[in-house]
Amino acid sequence: MGDLRRYFGLEGGAAYTGARFEGLGGGGDRVGVAAEDLVAVQMLSVTVPERVSLDLLEGDLGQQMSKLLREIPCELDMVDAEAGELESGSAAEWAWDLLDAQYGVGWVKAGKLLARKRPRLLPVYDRVVRCVLGSPSSFWLDLHRALRADGHALHHELLDLRERAGIPKTVSALRVCDVVLWMAHHEDHRPLRCPGHGTLSV
């Protein structure tokens, strides 16, 4: 719990910039990608390339993303979602594939941008977290099963941890999970030596 409180600046020191990821500019749960969303992902130490950013804000890519985001519920928690919301052929996976295919984006940035847009349903996932967990065949579906197991025990544990740490309820259970895993390993992460180095299936 101490790591979680430190991340959000509740132990007397400055918060990590990622503490503002979900809430910056009022949050990201609108339909289209906004400039605030592109700034928010920078709080997690990644930058969407300039041309892709402009296309998301003003071009065809942004229109395609808006269409897909309309099909992805913004107030649905992953634990309450059906697997169909996350598996192959879902709007969420189409959106991830679309972003991942853009030059200079890739799976980490694609995942972080989608987590900004739908923080309760889609998790942040990067090489540090992947290193902690190994290399699951489908992170979204594996996490979905874990959250739903044993009467949603893990989901309730994350909510309880959020309350005990004094973190606002606007921070999703998925984000609590991400921060706990990331804080546990980021200082020891060595990209070329960890399982998180490589490709990904969501």
Side-chain angles (χ1 to χ4, degrees), residues 93-115:
E93 185 171 274
W94 277 109
W96 185 89
D97 285 341
L98 180 62
L99 290 170
D100 179 48
Q102 305 305 309
Y103 180 79
V105 177
W107 64 271
V108 172
K109 296 175 186 178
K112 289 181 177 181
L113 186 53
L114 283 178

Side-chain angles (χ1 to χ4, degrees), residues 7-9 15-24 43-44 171 175:
Y7 188 91
F8 285 93
Y16 284 68
T17 58
R20 299 296 312 282
F21 173 69
E22 286 185 305
L24 186 71
M43 301 301 101
L44 299 184
V171 177
R175 186 73 178 116

Side-chain angles (χ1 to χ4, degrees), residues 90-193:
S90 66
E93 185 171 274
W94 277 109
W96 185 89
D97 285 341
L98 180 62
L99 290 170
D100 179 48
Q102 305 305 309
Y103 180 79
V105 177
W107 64 271
V108 172
K109 296 175 186 178
K112 289 181 177 181
L113 186 53
L114 283 178
R116 162 69 181 181
K117 300 306 298 176
R118 298 293 183 265
R120 293 168 59 178
L121 179 64
L122 303 175
V124 171
Y125 190 46
D126 62 12
R127 288 181 174 85
V128 175
V129 173
R130 191 180 188 200
C131 186
V132 175
L133 300 178
S135 185
S137 58
S138 172
F139 177 65
W140 287 358
L141 291 175
D142 283 6
L143 180 57
H144 179 250
R145 284 189 288 269
L147 290 168
R148 290 169 68 90
D150 301 321
H152 301 179
L154 176 58
H155 180 74
H156 293 306
E157 183 178 343
L158 291 169
L159 295 181
D160 180 64
L161 182 58
R162 181 181 68 185
E163 183 175 356
R164 288 188 290 112
I167 295 167
K169 292 184 178 180
T170 52
V171 177
S172 69
L174 295 183
R175 186 73 178 116
V176 173
C177 182
D178 167 55
V179 171
V180 169
L181 294 173
W182 189 85
M183 288 292 284
H185 186 62
H186 76 284
E187 291 183 354
D188 297 323
H189 182 66
R190 299 293 181 270
L192 296 179
R193 286 185 260 165

Side-chain angles (χ1 to χ4, degrees), residues 66-79:
S66 293
K67 182 178 179 181
L68 289 167
L69 286 168
R70 288 189 184 94
E71 300 178 35
I72 306 172
C74 63
E75 298 197 4
L76 179 65
D77 287 301
M78 178 180 268
V79 70

